[in-house]
Amino acid sequence: RKEVEQDPGPFNVPEGATVAFNCTYSNSASQSFFWYRQDCRKEPKLLMSVYSSGNEDGRFTAQLNRASQYISLLIRDSKLSDSATYLCVVTADRGSTLGRLYFGRGTQLTVWP
Amino acid sequence: GAVVSQHPSWVICKSGTSVKIECRSLDFQATTMFWYRQFPKQSLMLMATSNEGSKATYEQGVEKDKFLINHASLTLSTLTVTSAHPEDSSFYICSARDEGPPYEQYFGPGTRLTVT
């Protein structure tokens, strides 16, 4: 079983739509959780960390359910520039990307005008 | 934020030849760097953890004699793909771990390797 499982999509949505991505992880000892964004043929870039209480950064909201080992990302008011692959990432290290990261295969999002 | 560079950004080589990829932390020192590989539509898979001044730690299934890693300084790690085969064609990405606050892991821009 893979460490991190994601719905690969693709998700094709119009500008202004709200879209949600889900992710599950298998290691209950995982401590830190992140969403990364990866553009085509580029390196992944940190989008946001995910906290147990849920957290929001502008149009992006992340949620974590430790009991279900489930992570989500909600994007509101989608922009064309949001088109990318979104990677769910977990690590056993607390509070940072200090150590080994486990990546999901990513969910592809295309926002059309 | 911190910057990690990789060189080359892309390379095409013939089967049987060796290719060296460099990963540099430009404005911070990194005792630890990580090498990942990503095949099309797949997730990033950790190949090895590179430790400055000591041997790299390879993940299960990664041949250490084929993927040679050298981390000779606090700002440079190299990955050499020896006797490359077409199945080694992939996107190779390194990351470097900042030794000071905020202790984050920063990714290089990747190297696209095509073996013909």
Side-chain angles (χ1 to χ4, degrees):
Chain A
R1 185 183 174 187
K2 292 187 178 179
E3 293 277 347
V4 181
E5 298 270 12
Q6 279 185 260
D7 179 351
F11 287 70
N12 298 301
V13 302
E15 271 188 293
T18 296
V19 61
F21 305 140
N22 304 317
C23 164
T24 57
Y25 59 96
S26 60
N27 185 355
S28 59
S30 298
Q31 294 285 349
S32 300
F33 311 88
F34 310 91
W35 283 101
Y36 276 71
R37 169 195 170 127
Q38 186 175 25
D39 292 289
C40 188
R41 296 177 175 264
K42 300 286 187 182
E43 78 276 22
K45 293 185 184 293
L46 181 62
L47 180 65
M48 61 193 302
S49 301
V50 187
Y51 304 114
S52 296
S53 55
N55 50 298
E56 187 174 306
D57 182 1
R59 298 181 293 108
F60 299 85
T61 301
Q63 297 276 357
L64 167 65
N65 183 322
R66 284 186 182 270
S68 302
Q69 296 181 198
Y70 172 94
I71 307 163
S72 67
L73 176 68
L74 182 76
I75 305 176
R76 291 183 300 279
D77 188 23
S78 299
K79 311 290 185 190
L80 296 177
S81 57
D82 294 334
S83 298
T85 297
Y86 291 82
L87 307 172
C88 178
V89 182
V90 305
T91 177
D93 296 291
R94 187 182 298 276
S96 76
T97 58
L98 189 61
R100 179 183 177 155
L101 303 179
Y102 293 90
F103 286 82
R105 61 182 293 181
T107 300
Q108 186 179 342
L109 170 67
T110 301
V111 181
W112 45 274
Chain B
V3 178
V4 175
S5 70
Q6 273 185 249
H7 178 80
S9 55
W10 61 270
V11 58
I12 301 172
C13 71
K14 293 186 177 180
S15 267
T17 61
S18 295
V19 174
K20 179 185 284 188
I21 302 170
E22 293 185 348
C23 177
R24 293 182 186 273
S25 56
L26 296 185
D27 52 359
F28 66 100
Q29 294 185 329
T31 303
T32 303
M33 294 185 178
F34 301 89
W35 285 97
Y36 295 84
R37 180 167 54 181
Q38 186 178 32
F39 292 106
K41 299 189 183 298
Q42 300 294 319
S43 61
L44 274 77
M45 295 299 296
L46 181 66
M47 299 176 66
T49 302
S50 170
N51 303 296
E52 187 267 336
S54 64
K55 291 182 179 180
T57 304
Y58 289 82
E59 294 299 303
Q60 192 173 11
V62 178
E63 299 175 57
K64 62 179 181 181
D65 294 328
K66 179 171 179 64
F67 298 98
L68 302 179
I69 291 174
N70 186 292
H71 193 155
S73 79
L74 288 172
T75 59
L76 173 65
S77 175
T78 61
L79 169 69
T80 301
V81 183
T82 62
S83 187
H85 289 110
E87 56 264 33
D88 296 325
S89 299
S90 187
F91 191 44
Y92 292 85
I93 305 176
C94 73
S95 68
R97 192 171 77 188
D98 197 345
E99 298 304 308
Y103 302 106
E104 296 293 340
Q105 196 176 136
Y106 300 98
F107 286 86
T111 296
R112 190 159 299 281
L113 170 64
T114 302
V115 184
T116 60

